[in-house]
Amino acid sequence: ANTPYTIRIKAPREGETTIHDLVQGDVRVANSELDDMIILRADGTPVYQLAVVVDDHDMDITHVIRGDDHLTNTFRQAMIYRAMGWKLPHFAHLPLIHGPDGAKLSKRHGAQSVVEFREMGYLPEALNNYLLRLGWGHGDAEILSREEQIRLFDLDGVGRSPSRMDYAKLLHINGVWLRQADDTRLTNDVMERLAKMDGVDTSDATRAKVLALMPGLKERAKTLVELADNAAFLGRSLPLTFDPKAEKQLTPENRVMLGRLALALKATEPFSKEAIDATLRQFAETHEMKLGKVAQPLRAAVTGSTMSPGIDDTLLALGRDEVLARINAVAAHE
């Protein structure tokens, strides 16, 4: 009397306890391995194992689905269910995700938080799709909409073995979802990312250019970060900076060619995609050049890179005045 005490549950000493798991099948543990665990602390508060059982029972929980690192807890909790005469819920213990090297996933393997994946430019539907397919399958189906996932998913398809995180596969799936995403939604995200870059205008005019070019931009990107980087040229001011590959395109001969091309584009009426395409083809034919030999230096001059959507779409999004200003900034006029 008058001394602190805890309350323990007396574990069975003989035989074994079996848990029928919806993923792992029947899992057995010898009762001799179970201890008389504390269920009520000396201050009268319940421990986790007791609290979670009472909480799940009171809420009529039918299925407990969690990582297989909780399997040990399940055997302890089963003692409480049976001591109370309560029906056990259905248990399903899912295998954990390991790193590419087979070791338990950790920070050294890369992003773990969904916030980190968002910052790295992954779409939520892509990450959801990838994680689902990492531990569950439906034939050869790889890309599944949320509606299809809900309709097809069942615990019978969940694998028992740990999965390995494959970032290359995740990147591929993200690219697929990126190409399917709504252009306005992507533009909004890109503009938020451009606002954090130095020297990039994020006015409504730039937004309109990004939106206009989005169908072509998203075909060449696999993450939102890459998409924003590829779209940044639309909001940059003169003088542009050129990557090494673009610099190689701006040879003295190509700068002279660009000066002539500027005159042709200035006279293009209307400044439409079709008219731009016709001007570039006519210019190449007149000067006995392949179209690529015209388009690549032009792309370098107006974007600072050798990668962009179709050159006619790119020029149209920039607008005639901006195109001419960018060409004239590097062109050599005769």
Side-chain angles (χ1 to χ4, degrees):
N2 302 319
T3 56
Y5 64 92
T6 61
I7 294 180
R8 295 173 178 267
I9 186 167
K10 187 172 179 60
R13 287 288 176 264
E14 299 177 352
E16 62 181 16
T17 296
T18 300
I19 296 293
H20 178 68
D21 191 274
L22 296 178
V23 172
Q24 306 294 339
D26 287 341
V27 185
R28 295 177 173 83
V29 166
N31 289 332
S32 58
E33 296 182 18
L34 302 175
D35 61 337
D36 298 335
M37 65 175 182
I38 294 172
I39 57 173
L40 212 62
R41 301 184 183 93
D43 62 3
T45 59
V47 300
Y48 163 79
Q49 305 286 17
L50 175 60
V52 73
V53 169
V54 174
D55 195 41
D56 286 354
H57 173 267
D58 286 356
M59 292 195 298
D60 295 323
I61 295 299
T62 60
H63 291 70
V64 175
I65 304 173
R66 55 192 177 190
D68 63 12
D69 52 338
H70 279 276
L71 197 52
T72 302
N73 286 334
T74 301
F75 284 95
R76 293 180 172 181
Q77 291 160 16
M79 287 196 299
I80 300 174
Y81 276 106
R82 287 164 177 157
M84 296 300 296
W86 293 341
K87 180 181 178 182
L88 272 71
H90 297 289
F91 288 101
H93 289 86
L94 311 180
L96 301 180
I97 300 171
H98 288 181
D101 57 0
K104 188 175 180 181
L105 193 65
S106 64
K107 287 185 177 180
R108 68 184 176 85
H109 292 113
Q112 292 187 95
S113 161
V114 290
V115 175
E116 290 178 79
F117 281 106
R118 182 179 63 191
E119 291 172 352
M120 291 166 67
Y122 291 98
L123 294 173
E125 57 267 41
L127 186 59
N128 184 77
N129 191 157
Y130 175 72
L131 291 177
L132 175 74
R133 290 289 286 110
L134 197 57
W136 172 89
H138 181 76
D140 295 327
E142 181 176 81
I143 306 300
L144 295 167
S145 68
R146 180 64 61 87
E147 293 72 23
E148 290 174 315
Q149 293 171 23
I150 293 170
R151 178 172 58 85
L152 296 173
F153 180 81
D154 58 47
L155 287 169
D156 291 340
V158 177
R160 296 185 182 185
S161 302
S163 302
R164 293 195 181 194
M165 192 72 180
D166 184 342
Y167 287 96
K169 188 72 170 180
L170 172 59
L171 192 63
H172 164 72
I173 290 177
N174 198 66
V176 173
W177 279 103
L178 198 67
R179 290 188 289 276
Q180 296 178 8
D182 176 72
D183 290 348
T184 300
R185 170 196 174 188
L186 294 178
T187 298
N188 291 339
D189 190 287
V190 164
M191 294 307 296
E192 290 180 9
R193 294 173 189 270
L194 293 184
K196 299 175 183 178
M197 296 183 185
D198 293 331
V200 179
D201 171 66
T202 54
S203 64
D204 289 343
T206 300
R207 176 184 289 273
K209 293 174 184 177
V210 173
L211 180 60
L213 202 54
M214 187 55 71
L217 287 168
K218 68 183 184 182
E219 290 293 326
R220 291 164 172 79
K222 290 187 177 180
T223 68
L224 291 167
V225 171
E226 190 178 345
L227 186 64
D229 287 342
N230 292 348
F233 78 90
L234 293 166
R236 295 201 184 278
S237 301
L238 292 174
L240 295 182
T241 55
F242 302 95
D243 66 32
K245 290 184 178 179
E247 285 279 8
K248 288 184 179 179
Q249 289 292 330
L250 298 176
T251 62
E253 296 80 9
N254 282 340
R255 289 174 186 266
V256 171
M257 181 272 292
L258 288 169
R260 297 170 184 158
L261 181 58
L263 297 176
L265 289 170
K266 184 176 182 180
T268 299
E269 290 293 346
F271 201 73
S272 63
K273 178 177 177 176
E274 295 75 14
I276 293 169
D277 180 68
T279 294
L280 296 180
R281 292 182 182 279
Q282 182 61 50
F283 182 88
E285 182 179 341
T286 300
H287 292 82
E288 298 181 345
M289 300 173 67
K290 291 183 177 180
L291 185 59
K293 294 294 185 179
V294 175
Q296 275 299 76
L298 175 58
R299 179 177 282 108
V302 299
T303 70
S305 169
T306 55
M307 297 290 292
S308 81
I311 191 62
D312 45 4
D313 289 320
T314 300
L315 299 188
L316 182 63
L318 283 168
R320 188 202 308 270
D321 291 345
E322 185 66 22
V323 166
L324 294 176
R326 294 186 180 201
I327 294 175
N328 287 327
V330 299
H333 295 279
E334 297 172 306

